Amino acid sequence: MRVSFCQALLAGAIALNLLILYYVSRAQQQMMEKRREQHGKASKKGSGGAAAGLVGVKAAGGVEARGPRVTVLVREFEDFENYVGEVARSFLRQRPDLPFLAVADAPPYPPLALPEGARLLPLVPAPDQPPQAHRPEFHVQTEFVLLVPDGVELEHGRQVERLIRELEGEGGGAVRMVASPVLSRAAVQCLQLRVSLREWTASYRPGATGSSGSVCAALHGDAVLLLRSEDLFNLSTPLARPLFNSLFVQTALRGWRVKLLEGPCFATSRRPLFSSAHNQWKAESGQKEATAKLMRAFGIKHLVQYDGKEQWFGCSKETPRCFGTVRDDTPDYLYLERWTPPCCLRALRETAKYVISILESSSVRYWLEGGTLLGAARHQDIIPWDYDVDLGIYLEDVPNCDYLKNLDAGSLVDANGYVWERAVEGDFYRVQYSEVNHLHVDLWPFYARNGVMTKDTWTEHKQDVEFPEHFLQPLVPMPFAGITAYGPNNHRAFLELKFGEGVVENPQYPNPAKKRLDKGRQ
């Protein structure tokens, strides 16, 4: 067998790449071993005989070496006012063997005044530093990480050991974290948390509070939290702020739980944490901005707090909708294994209710059409992955509505900001949520001819077909999106005429050839 020049060149390139990968991997391994060795020497020098919290490691020759099991890490603090230096001194006074790490997005200003033995780690990359310089997993060489809020003090070392024993006692089950409350702060609340990335939502609700050993999905309030370093750094964004919001969204998706202990409690001499109302306002404003940034990064557009308050991080009347032009009846979010963003569903409901009220007050006969009728039949609402609302109307009733009868020339923005227009795609009408946000309701005008409802222009949608007028005589009320709307008098037969037999019981995406619904994930 003869080997061509191109084949030989390709084989040589592959061999060279494998050689480079080998030496890079070996260099990284040597670097990690050197760092562990240096860290072990430093820990041994500062151990001071504190045996609790140390783990035995067999060194060469069978001699047992000892090193710290926990790294104390402070992440939640503000540049303009904080007590990180006091926190570090408190922990290092009681436990000088424990590594102490303050983590910030960028070097704080004013600079932190940290005692000897405490280190600052900025997460922002520096062009003159290696990549591991700003990655916390390279700076934590202990089995556990203790996440400590700003202002907390360590009164005695046994507090840390109790948390370790509690976590080890869980045996690696669903409980992957243990937490202890901070005294003199707001009481820590145990919460349950449901995160649905498919629905772009996260919903908190109260859990069992105040009882020793409560198992929670999330916490609200100040607490010291212990977890394994391996677990922390296996999260996609382990130290994003706000820390608890970020942490518990990610752990809830993995089915992990946190055990909230009644004791030991940690103390703080800083109450309130900020010395002025202005700094308190700055901290709260920064927290809101960080929460919005985090939720958008996670793709969460609707957040329901434990007290029932809602926060929205998606589109509104003042912003464009959350998805682009729909191609092949398949919006982009379906390819991400997600459904219609909840802010879009909210806008579609608002627009549909508004349009229906205008039609009813104008004596325009209408009915739920196509996929919108299908959603009403299945869910009494919009289909969870739909991106518009369709209504049929009688063409002869169009002159009854002031918003429709004059649309031959341009569009009309009404007093509530909705945009009424004749669609450019065909002979039908469209009502948009706003001039900026183009979520919309389509109005399809039909007229009767020899007992059949027809129209002059048609689309390529399979449901856009003629049908007997008897389905509309009479129109019947049916629940839809929180109101009572009108639909055909035999909606099942109407839908099967348009979509095929069994369509109500067998949901599917609009264009299965492009993207099919995974029935197992409904």
Side-chain angles (χ1 to χ4, degrees), residues 94-202:
Q94 297 292 332
R95 295 296 304 274
D97 58 299
L98 299 183
F100 189 99
L101 197 61
V103 178
D105 292 322
Y109 179 80
L112 295 179
L114 295 176
E116 184 179 355
R119 291 182 296 140
L120 170 68
L121 173 62
L123 297 178
V124 61
D128 60 337
Q129 297 292 322
Q132 63 268 26
H134 63 274
R135 292 170 57 182
E137 62 268 29
F138 283 92
H139 298 262
V140 176
Q141 302 299 322
T142 56
E143 183 181 357
F144 300 98
V145 176
L146 188 70
L147 302 175
V148 178
D150 190 12
V152 169
E153 298 175 347
L154 182 65
E155 294 180 322
H156 52 79
R158 294 189 303 276
Q159 293 170 288
V160 178
E161 315 317 316
R162 165 74 188 281
L163 295 178
I164 293 175
R165 289 196 299 272
E166 288 285 351
L167 186 55
E168 289 182 325
E170 293 297 327
V175 174
R176 307 289 279 266
M177 302 164 283
V178 295
S180 181
V182 175
L183 294 175
S184 304
R185 297 271 177 88
V188 182
Q189 291 184 272
C190 179
L191 304 176
Q192 299 308 314
L193 172 60
R194 177 184 176 271
V195 181
S196 174
L197 295 181
R198 184 180 64 184
E199 297 170 330
W200 313 74
T201 61

Side-chain angles (χ1 to χ4, degrees), residues 197-376:
L197 295 181
R198 184 180 64 184
E199 297 170 330
W200 313 74
T201 61
S203 301
Y204 293 90
R205 59 184 177 84
T209 58
S211 59
S212 178
S214 300
V215 176
C216 325
L219 301 175
H220 175 75
D222 279 332
V224 172
L225 189 142
L226 180 82
L227 73 166
R228 289 179 173 83
S229 304
E230 181 182 10
D231 285 344
L232 177 63
F233 295 120
N234 274 331
L235 301 177
S236 59
T237 53
L239 295 175
R241 293 187 68 190
L243 184 58
F244 273 14
N245 298 58
S246 169
L247 195 65
F248 293 131
V249 165
Q250 295 176 85
T251 57
L253 287 168
R254 291 160 172 79
W256 300 357
R257 294 294 180 263
V258 54
K259 186 175 183 179
L260 177 60
L261 307 177
E262 193 174 56
C265 294
F266 286 76
T268 175
S269 60
R270 305 297 177 181
R271 185 185 181 191
L273 187 59
F274 301 101
S275 58
S276 68
H278 177 69
N279 279 358
Q280 179 70 36
W281 170 82
K282 284 178 65 176
E284 291 174 354
S285 299
Q287 194 82 348
K288 289 179 181 178
E289 292 177 6
T291 299
K293 181 179 178 181
L294 177 73
M295 293 299 116
R296 292 190 178 102
F298 282 171
I300 293 174
K301 298 181 183 294
H302 187 203
L303 181 63
V304 182
Q305 299 288 4
Y306 68 96
D307 56 3
K309 292 181 180 178
E310 296 179 282
Q311 291 178 270
W312 297 85
F313 305 104
C315 60
S316 66
K317 270 188 178 288
E318 291 73 37
T319 62
R321 69 184 186 184
C322 295
F323 55 93
T325 301
V326 177
R327 301 184 184 276
D328 300 317
D329 297 326
T330 308
D332 58 7
Y333 49 78
L334 293 184
Y335 293 107
L336 302 175
E337 304 299 337
R338 296 195 175 202
W339 289 351
T340 311
C343 50
C344 297
L345 289 174
R346 181 179 65 163
L348 286 172
R349 292 186 189 104
E350 289 179 8
T351 308
K353 293 175 185 178
Y354 180 74
V355 171
I356 286 171
S357 69
I358 296 294
L359 296 178
E360 290 181 348
S361 64
S362 303
S363 298
V364 175
R365 289 167 291 175
Y366 74 91
W367 60 94
L368 302 177
E369 254 290 353
T372 302
L373 177 63
L374 192 55

